[in-house]
Short mmCIF file of all heavy atoms in Angstrom, two decimals:
data_model
loop_
_atom_site.label_atom_id
_atom_site.label_comp_id
_atom_site.label_asym_id
_atom_site.label_seq_id
_atom_site.Cartn_x
_atom_site.Cartn_y
_atom_site.Cartn_z
N MET J 1 0.83 -1.20 0.00
CA MET J 1 0.00 -0.02 -0.01
C MET J 1 0.88 1.25 0.02
O MET J 1 1.91 1.29 0.65
CB MET J 1 -0.89 0.01 1.25
CG MET J 1 -1.95 1.15 1.21
SD MET J 1 -2.94 1.16 2.72
CE MET J 1 -1.81 1.92 3.86
N GLN J 2 0.45 2.23 -0.76
CA GLN J 2 1.15 3.53 -0.83
C GLN J 2 0.29 4.60 -0.17
O GLN J 2 -0.95 4.57 -0.31
CB GLN J 2 1.42 3.93 -2.26
CG GLN J 2 2.27 2.94 -3.06
CD GLN J 2 3.77 3.13 -2.75
OE1 GLN J 2 4.29 4.26 -2.94
NE2 GLN J 2 4.44 2.14 -2.28
N VAL J 3 0.87 5.45 0.56
CA VAL J 3 0.13 6.62 1.12
C VAL J 3 0.73 7.93 0.72
O VAL J 3 1.96 7.98 0.44
CB VAL J 3 0.04 6.56 2.69
CG1 VAL J 3 -0.66 5.31 3.14
CG2 VAL J 3 1.40 6.68 3.29
N LYS J 4 -0.07 8.94 0.68
CA LYS J 4 0.46 10.30 0.44
C LYS J 4 -0.40 11.28 1.20
O LYS J 4 -1.60 11.02 1.48
CB LYS J 4 0.52 10.65 -1.04
CG LYS J 4 -0.84 10.68 -1.74
CD LYS J 4 -0.67 10.99 -3.23
CE LYS J 4 -1.98 10.91 -3.96
NZ LYS J 4 -1.80 11.20 -5.44
N VAL J 5 0.21 12.40 1.55
CA VAL J 5 -0.52 13.52 2.20
C VAL J 5 -0.67 14.59 1.17
O VAL J 5 0.31 15.13 0.68
CB VAL J 5 0.25 14.03 3.43
CG1 VAL J 5 -0.53 15.16 4.06
CG2 VAL J 5 0.51 12.89 4.45
N GLU J 6 -1.92 14.88 0.82
CA GLU J 6 -2.17 15.91 -0.17
C GLU J 6 -2.21 17.27 0.49
O GLU J 6 -2.15 17.40 1.69
CB GLU J 6 -3.50 15.59 -0.88
CG GLU J 6 -3.44 14.33 -1.62
CD GLU J 6 -4.69 14.08 -2.50
OE1 GLU J 6 -5.76 14.50 -2.09
OE2 GLU J 6 -4.52 13.45 -3.59
N GLN J 7 -2.30 18.32 -0.33
CA GLN J 7 -2.36 19.66 0.20
C GLN J 7 -3.64 19.81 1.03
O GLN J 7 -4.69 19.23 0.70
CB GLN J 7 -2.36 20.71 -0.95
CG GLN J 7 -1.03 20.77 -1.63
CD GLN J 7 -0.95 21.96 -2.58
OE1 GLN J 7 -1.94 22.60 -2.90
NE2 GLN J 7 0.27 22.22 -3.08
N GLY J 8 -3.56 20.63 2.09
CA GLY J 8 -4.71 20.89 2.93
C GLY J 8 -4.56 20.46 4.33
O GLY J 8 -5.43 20.64 5.15
N CYS J 9 -3.45 19.76 4.62
CA CYS J 9 -3.15 19.32 6.02
C CYS J 9 -3.22 20.54 6.92
O CYS J 9 -2.56 21.58 6.62
CB CYS J 9 -1.86 18.63 6.09
SG CYS J 9 -1.22 18.38 7.76
N ILE J 10 -3.91 20.41 8.03
CA ILE J 10 -4.03 21.51 8.99
C ILE J 10 -3.07 21.35 10.19
O ILE J 10 -3.13 22.06 11.17
CB ILE J 10 -5.47 21.69 9.51
CG1 ILE J 10 -5.96 20.42 10.16
CG2 ILE J 10 -6.36 22.16 8.37
CD1 ILE J 10 -7.32 20.59 10.87
N GLY J 11 -2.23 20.27 10.10
CA GLY J 11 -1.19 20.10 11.13
C GLY J 11 -1.70 19.65 12.48
O GLY J 11 -1.07 19.90 13.48
N CYS J 12 -2.80 18.90 12.50
CA CYS J 12 -3.38 18.51 13.80
C CYS J 12 -2.47 17.43 14.48
O CYS J 12 -2.53 17.24 15.67
CB CYS J 12 -4.77 17.98 13.62
SG CYS J 12 -4.85 16.35 12.89
N GLY J 13 -1.72 16.74 13.69
CA GLY J 13 -0.79 15.74 14.27
C GLY J 13 -1.38 14.38 14.57
O GLY J 13 -0.68 13.49 15.05
N LEU J 14 -2.63 14.20 14.27
CA LEU J 14 -3.28 12.90 14.55
C LEU J 14 -2.62 11.72 13.87
O LEU J 14 -2.42 10.68 14.48
CB LEU J 14 -4.77 12.97 14.21
CG LEU J 14 -5.59 11.79 14.62
CD1 LEU J 14 -5.63 11.61 16.17
CD2 LEU J 14 -7.02 11.92 14.13
N CYS J 15 -2.30 11.90 12.62
CA CYS J 15 -1.66 10.80 11.85
C CYS J 15 -0.33 10.39 12.46
O CYS J 15 0.02 9.23 12.55
CB CYS J 15 -1.54 11.14 10.38
SG CYS J 15 -0.59 12.65 10.04
N VAL J 16 0.44 11.40 12.94
CA VAL J 16 1.70 11.13 13.55
C VAL J 16 1.52 10.36 14.87
O VAL J 16 2.29 9.45 15.16
CB VAL J 16 2.52 12.44 13.76
CG1 VAL J 16 3.88 12.13 14.38
CG2 VAL J 16 2.69 13.17 12.45
N SER J 17 0.48 10.74 15.61
CA SER J 17 0.19 10.03 16.85
C SER J 17 -0.20 8.61 16.59
O SER J 17 0.21 7.66 17.34
CB SER J 17 -0.95 10.77 17.60
OG SER J 17 -0.55 12.05 17.99
N ILE J 18 -1.06 8.39 15.59
CA ILE J 18 -1.57 7.02 15.27
C ILE J 18 -0.49 6.18 14.68
O ILE J 18 -0.37 4.99 15.00
CB ILE J 18 -2.77 7.12 14.34
CG1 ILE J 18 -3.96 7.83 15.02
CG2 ILE J 18 -3.20 5.77 13.84
CD1 ILE J 18 -5.16 8.12 14.13
N CYS J 19 0.33 6.72 13.79
CA CYS J 19 1.26 5.90 13.03
C CYS J 19 2.56 6.62 12.77
O CYS J 19 2.88 7.06 11.68
CB CYS J 19 0.60 5.54 11.67
SG CYS J 19 1.53 4.27 10.79
N PRO J 20 3.37 6.79 13.83
CA PRO J 20 4.65 7.50 13.72
C PRO J 20 5.68 6.86 12.83
O PRO J 20 6.63 7.54 12.40
CB PRO J 20 5.11 7.65 15.19
CG PRO J 20 4.46 6.49 15.91
CD PRO J 20 3.14 6.30 15.23
N ALA J 21 5.46 5.60 12.55
CA ALA J 21 6.43 4.91 11.61
C ALA J 21 6.28 5.40 10.22
O ALA J 21 7.20 5.29 9.42
CB ALA J 21 6.24 3.42 11.71
N VAL J 22 5.10 5.92 9.90
CA VAL J 22 4.82 6.33 8.49
C VAL J 22 4.76 7.86 8.32
O VAL J 22 5.25 8.37 7.34
CB VAL J 22 3.51 5.68 8.01
CG1 VAL J 22 3.09 6.19 6.66
CG2 VAL J 22 3.67 4.14 7.96
N PHE J 23 4.13 8.51 9.31
CA PHE J 23 3.95 9.97 9.19
C PHE J 23 4.82 10.74 10.12
O PHE J 23 5.10 10.31 11.25
CB PHE J 23 2.46 10.30 9.47
CG PHE J 23 1.51 9.59 8.56
CD1 PHE J 23 0.84 8.47 8.99
CD2 PHE J 23 1.24 10.05 7.25
CE1 PHE J 23 -0.06 7.79 8.18
CE2 PHE J 23 0.37 9.39 6.43
CZ PHE J 23 -0.26 8.25 6.90
N LYS J 24 5.30 11.88 9.64
CA LYS J 24 6.03 12.79 10.52
C LYS J 24 5.65 14.20 10.12
O LYS J 24 5.15 14.47 9.04
CB LYS J 24 7.58 12.59 10.38
CG LYS J 24 8.08 12.99 8.99
CD LYS J 24 9.62 12.84 8.93
CE LYS J 24 10.12 13.27 7.58
NZ LYS J 24 11.61 13.14 7.48
N MET J 25 5.92 15.17 11.04
CA MET J 25 5.67 16.53 10.71
C MET J 25 6.82 17.06 9.91
O MET J 25 8.00 16.88 10.23
CB MET J 25 5.45 17.38 12.00
CG MET J 25 4.25 16.95 12.83
SD MET J 25 2.69 16.82 11.86
CE MET J 25 2.37 18.51 11.47
N GLY J 26 6.50 17.72 8.82
CA GLY J 26 7.48 18.30 7.95
C GLY J 26 7.53 19.78 8.06
O GLY J 26 7.16 20.36 9.11
N GLU J 27 8.01 20.43 7.02
CA GLU J 27 8.04 21.89 7.03
C GLU J 27 6.63 22.46 7.12
O GLU J 27 5.64 21.85 6.64
CB GLU J 27 8.74 22.40 5.78
CG GLU J 27 10.19 22.00 5.72
CD GLU J 27 10.86 22.45 4.41
OE1 GLU J 27 10.25 23.23 3.67
OE2 GLU J 27 11.95 22.01 4.15
N ASN J 28 6.52 23.64 7.64
CA ASN J 28 5.23 24.37 7.64
C ASN J 28 4.18 23.66 8.51
O ASN J 28 2.99 23.84 8.28
CB ASN J 28 4.71 24.62 6.26
CG ASN J 28 5.68 25.31 5.38
OD1 ASN J 28 6.30 26.26 5.84
ND2 ASN J 28 5.81 24.92 4.13
N GLU J 29 4.62 22.83 9.43
CA GLU J 29 3.68 22.18 10.32
C GLU J 29 2.62 21.36 9.59
O GLU J 29 1.49 21.29 9.99
CB GLU J 29 3.01 23.19 11.23
CG GLU J 29 3.93 23.95 12.18
CD GLU J 29 4.60 22.98 13.18
OE1 GLU J 29 3.90 22.24 13.83
OE2 GLU J 29 5.82 23.05 13.30
N THR J 30 3.06 20.70 8.50
CA THR J 30 2.18 19.81 7.80
C THR J 30 2.83 18.43 7.81
O THR J 30 4.04 18.30 7.84
CB THR J 30 1.91 20.25 6.35
OG1 THR J 30 3.14 20.35 5.65
CG2 THR J 30 1.21 21.55 6.31
N ALA J 31 1.96 17.42 7.74
CA ALA J 31 2.45 16.05 7.81
C ALA J 31 2.99 15.59 6.45
O ALA J 31 2.55 16.03 5.40
CB ALA J 31 1.34 15.10 8.23
N VAL J 32 4.05 14.79 6.50
CA VAL J 32 4.60 14.15 5.33
C VAL J 32 4.76 12.70 5.56
O VAL J 32 4.78 12.22 6.72
CB VAL J 32 5.99 14.79 4.91
CG1 VAL J 32 5.80 16.29 4.57
CG2 VAL J 32 7.00 14.63 6.04
N VAL J 33 4.90 11.96 4.48
CA VAL J 33 5.16 10.53 4.59
C VAL J 33 6.66 10.32 4.80
O VAL J 33 7.45 10.69 3.98
CB VAL J 33 4.66 9.76 3.34
CG1 VAL J 33 5.05 8.30 3.45
CG2 VAL J 33 3.16 9.95 3.21
N ALA J 34 7.03 9.72 5.95
CA ALA J 34 8.42 9.47 6.27
C ALA J 34 8.88 8.19 5.65
O ALA J 34 10.00 8.00 5.22
CB ALA J 34 8.60 9.43 7.76
N CYS J 35 7.96 7.20 5.57
CA CYS J 35 8.27 5.87 5.12
C CYS J 35 6.97 5.21 4.71
O CYS J 35 5.98 5.28 5.48
CB CYS J 35 8.91 5.14 6.27
SG CYS J 35 9.41 3.47 5.95
N GLN J 36 6.91 4.58 3.57
CA GLN J 36 5.70 3.91 3.12
C GLN J 36 5.37 2.73 4.08
O GLN J 36 6.27 2.07 4.53
CB GLN J 36 5.83 3.43 1.67
CG GLN J 36 5.83 4.57 0.65
CD GLN J 36 4.55 5.34 0.59
OE1 GLN J 36 3.45 4.80 0.90
NE2 GLN J 36 4.59 6.61 0.23
N PRO J 37 4.08 2.54 4.34
CA PRO J 37 3.69 1.47 5.28
C PRO J 37 3.99 0.10 4.75
O PRO J 37 3.87 -0.23 3.58
CB PRO J 37 2.15 1.69 5.43
CG PRO J 37 1.74 2.45 4.25
CD PRO J 37 2.92 3.30 3.83
N ALA J 38 4.39 -0.73 5.70
CA ALA J 38 4.62 -2.17 5.37
C ALA J 38 4.31 -2.98 6.64
O ALA J 38 4.41 -2.47 7.73
CB ALA J 38 6.06 -2.39 4.96
N GLY J 39 3.88 -4.19 6.44
CA GLY J 39 3.65 -5.08 7.54
C GLY J 39 2.61 -4.52 8.52
O GLY J 39 1.56 -4.07 8.16
N ALA J 40 2.98 -4.50 9.79
CA ALA J 40 2.09 -4.07 10.82
C ALA J 40 1.69 -2.61 10.74
O ALA J 40 0.70 -2.19 11.33
CB ALA J 40 2.67 -4.35 12.22
N ASN J 41 2.43 -1.83 9.96
CA ASN J 41 2.10 -0.42 9.86
C ASN J 41 0.98 -0.13 8.91
O ASN J 41 0.46 0.95 8.89
CB ASN J 41 3.37 0.35 9.34
CG ASN J 41 4.46 0.33 10.32
OD1 ASN J 41 4.25 0.25 11.52
ND2 ASN J 41 5.70 0.39 9.84
N VAL J 42 0.59 -1.10 8.10
CA VAL J 42 -0.44 -0.83 7.10
C VAL J 42 -1.77 -0.52 7.76
O VAL J 42 -2.44 0.45 7.37
CB VAL J 42 -0.59 -2.08 6.16
CG1 VAL J 42 -1.81 -1.90 5.25
CG2 VAL J 42 0.67 -2.23 5.28
N ASP J 43 -2.17 -1.30 8.76
CA ASP J 43 -3.42 -1.02 9.42
C ASP J 43 -3.43 0.32 10.10
O ASP J 43 -4.40 1.09 10.04
CB ASP J 43 -3.72 -2.16 10.47
CG ASP J 43 -4.23 -3.39 9.81
OD1 ASP J 43 -4.50 -3.43 8.58
OD2 ASP J 43 -4.34 -4.39 10.54
N ASP J 44 -2.30 0.65 10.72
CA ASP J 44 -2.21 1.97 11.43
C ASP J 44 -2.28 3.09 10.38
O ASP J 44 -2.91 4.12 10.68
CB ASP J 44 -0.90 2.06 12.23
CG ASP J 44 -0.95 1.27 13.49
OD1 ASP J 44 -2.06 0.83 13.91
OD2 ASP J 44 0.11 1.09 14.11
N ALA J 45 -1.64 2.93 9.30
CA ALA J 45 -1.67 3.96 8.24
C ALA J 45 -3.09 4.14 7.68
O ALA J 45 -3.52 5.28 7.47
CB ALA J 45 -0.70 3.66 7.10
N GLU J 46 -3.80 3.05 7.49
CA GLU J 46 -5.16 3.14 7.01
C GLU J 46 -6.08 3.84 8.05
O GLU J 46 -6.94 4.62 7.73
CB GLU J 46 -5.71 1.74 6.67
CG GLU J 46 -5.14 1.17 5.41
CD GLU J 46 -5.70 -0.21 5.09
OE1 GLU J 46 -6.18 -0.91 6.02
OE2 GLU J 46 -5.65 -0.55 3.90
N ASN J 47 -5.80 3.45 9.30
CA ASN J 47 -6.58 4.08 10.40
C ASN J 47 -6.31 5.60 10.42
O ASN J 47 -7.27 6.43 10.55
CB ASN J 47 -6.12 3.48 11.71
CG ASN J 47 -7.04 3.74 12.85
OD1 ASN J 47 -8.16 4.17 12.67
ND2 ASN J 47 -6.55 3.49 14.07
N ALA J 48 -5.06 6.01 10.32
CA ALA J 48 -4.75 7.44 10.26
C ALA J 48 -5.43 8.14 9.11
O ALA J 48 -5.98 9.24 9.25
CB ALA J 48 -3.24 7.64 10.17
N ALA J 49 -5.42 7.48 7.94
CA ALA J 49 -6.08 8.06 6.77
C ALA J 49 -7.56 8.28 7.03
O ALA J 49 -8.11 9.32 6.64
CB ALA J 49 -5.84 7.18 5.53
N SER J 50 -8.22 7.31 7.65
CA SER J 50 -9.66 7.37 7.85
C SER J 50 -9.98 8.40 8.90
O SER J 50 -11.12 8.91 8.93
CB SER J 50 -10.22 6.03 8.21
OG SER J 50 -9.83 5.59 9.50
N GLN J 51 -9.04 8.69 9.79
CA GLN J 51 -9.36 9.66 10.90
C GLN J 51 -8.84 11.07 10.65
O GLN J 51 -9.19 11.97 11.46
CB GLN J 51 -8.79 9.11 12.21
CG GLN J 51 -9.45 7.81 12.66
CD GLN J 51 -9.15 7.46 14.11
OE1 GLN J 51 -9.27 8.25 15.02
NE2 GLN J 51 -8.71 6.22 14.24
N CYS J 52 -8.09 11.27 9.66
CA CYS J 52 -7.61 12.64 9.41
C CYS J 52 -8.82 13.57 9.23
O CYS J 52 -9.73 13.29 8.46
CB CYS J 52 -6.79 12.66 8.10
SG CYS J 52 -6.38 14.37 7.56
N PRO J 53 -8.88 14.64 10.02
CA PRO J 53 -10.08 15.47 10.06
C PRO J 53 -10.38 16.22 8.73
O PRO J 53 -11.51 16.64 8.53
CB PRO J 53 -9.81 16.48 11.20
CG PRO J 53 -8.35 16.50 11.34
CD PRO J 53 -7.88 15.12 10.98
N VAL J 54 -9.37 16.34 7.90
CA VAL J 54 -9.64 17.02 6.63
C VAL J 54 -9.45 16.09 5.43
O VAL J 54 -9.49 16.51 4.30
CB VAL J 54 -8.72 18.27 6.47
CG1 VAL J 54 -9.23 19.41 7.40
CG2 VAL J 54 -7.26 18.00 6.74
N GLY J 55 -9.23 14.82 5.73
CA GLY J 55 -9.27 13.79 4.64
C GLY J 55 -8.21 13.94 3.60
O GLY J 55 -8.44 13.64 2.42
N VAL J 56 -6.99 14.44 3.95
CA VAL J 56 -5.99 14.63 2.95
C VAL J 56 -4.98 13.45 2.83
O VAL J 56 -4.03 13.54 1.99
CB VAL J 56 -5.18 15.94 3.17
CG1 VAL J 56 -6.15 17.11 2.99
CG2 VAL J 56 -4.56 15.98 4.52
N ILE J 57 -5.18 12.42 3.62
CA ILE J 57 -4.30 11.24 3.52
C ILE J 57 -4.95 10.28 2.52
O ILE J 57 -6.04 9.81 2.75
CB ILE J 57 -4.03 10.57 4.85
CG1 ILE J 57 -3.42 11.56 5.82
CG2 ILE J 57 -3.13 9.35 4.67
CD1 ILE J 57 -3.27 10.99 7.25
N LYS J 58 -4.29 10.04 1.43
CA LYS J 58 -4.82 9.16 0.40
C LYS J 58 -4.01 7.87 0.37
O LYS J 58 -2.79 7.86 0.54
CB LYS J 58 -4.74 9.82 -1.00
CG LYS J 58 -5.45 11.18 -1.04
CD LYS J 58 -6.93 11.04 -0.73
CE LYS J 58 -7.61 12.44 -0.87
NZ LYS J 58 -9.00 12.38 -0.41
N THR J 59 -4.71 6.75 0.18
CA THR J 59 -4.05 5.46 0.11
C THR J 59 -4.42 4.81 -1.21
O THR J 59 -5.43 5.04 -1.81
CB THR J 59 -4.57 4.51 1.24
OG1 THR J 59 -5.92 4.24 1.07
CG2 THR J 59 -4.29 5.11 2.59
N GLU J 60 -3.48 4.00 -1.67
CA GLU J 60 -3.77 3.19 -2.85
C GLU J 60 -3.00 1.87 -2.77
O GLU J 60 -1.92 1.84 -2.20
CB GLU J 60 -3.47 3.92 -4.15
CG GLU J 60 -2.01 4.32 -4.35
CD GLU J 60 -1.90 5.11 -5.66
OE1 GLU J 60 -2.70 6.04 -5.94
OE2 GLU J 60 -0.94 4.85 -6.40
N ASP J 61 -3.61 0.84 -3.28
CA ASP J 61 -2.98 -0.48 -3.18
C ASP J 61 -1.86 -0.63 -4.21
O ASP J 61 -1.84 0.04 -5.22
CB ASP J 61 -4.02 -1.57 -3.43
CG ASP J 61 -5.06 -1.59 -2.31
OD1 ASP J 61 -4.67 -1.32 -1.16
OD2 ASP J 61 -6.19 -1.94 -2.61
FE1 LIG C 1 -2.52 16.70 8.75
FE2 LIG C 1 -4.48 14.99 8.65
FE3 LIG C 1 -2.22 14.31 9.70
S1 LIG C 1 -4.60 17.20 9.11
S2 LIG C 1 -1.33 16.19 10.55
S3 LIG C 1 -2.60 14.82 7.55
S4 LIG C 1 -4.19 13.73 10.45
#
């Protein structure tokens, strides 16, 4: 699975809290993908995507 953070992140940090192996805060207080999810991180990354309050985390198989 591949994930990306599209424009519009409001920097709430929820994705980093849920899945710090995949998401980190980048420049401008917006989240970026640090590492594509694999193994046990896939479920956490999907969870983060579904809970992002502005829906900017996109996943594709
Ligand atoms: Fe941004 Fe959504 Fe994460 S608002 S910090 S991409 S949970």
Side-chain angles (χ1 to χ4, degrees):
M1 187 182 78
Q2 299 278 304
V3 298
K4 62 181 177 182
V5 180
E6 297 188 328
Q7 289 191 351
C9 168
I10 58 172
C12 75
L14 186 62
C15 57
V16 181
S17 295
I18 293 172
C19 190
V22 171
F23 302 99
K24 66 177 182 181
M25 296 310 291
E27 295 178 10
N28 304 319
E29 297 296 310
T30 59
V32 297
V33 175
C35 180
Q36 289 295 332
N41 295 330
V42 171
D43 283 351
D44 283 348
E46 287 181 337
N47 195 15
S50 69
Q51 293 193 52
C52 172
V54 288
V56 295
I57 301 174
K58 304 300 182 187
T59 64
E60 61 183 45
D61 292 329

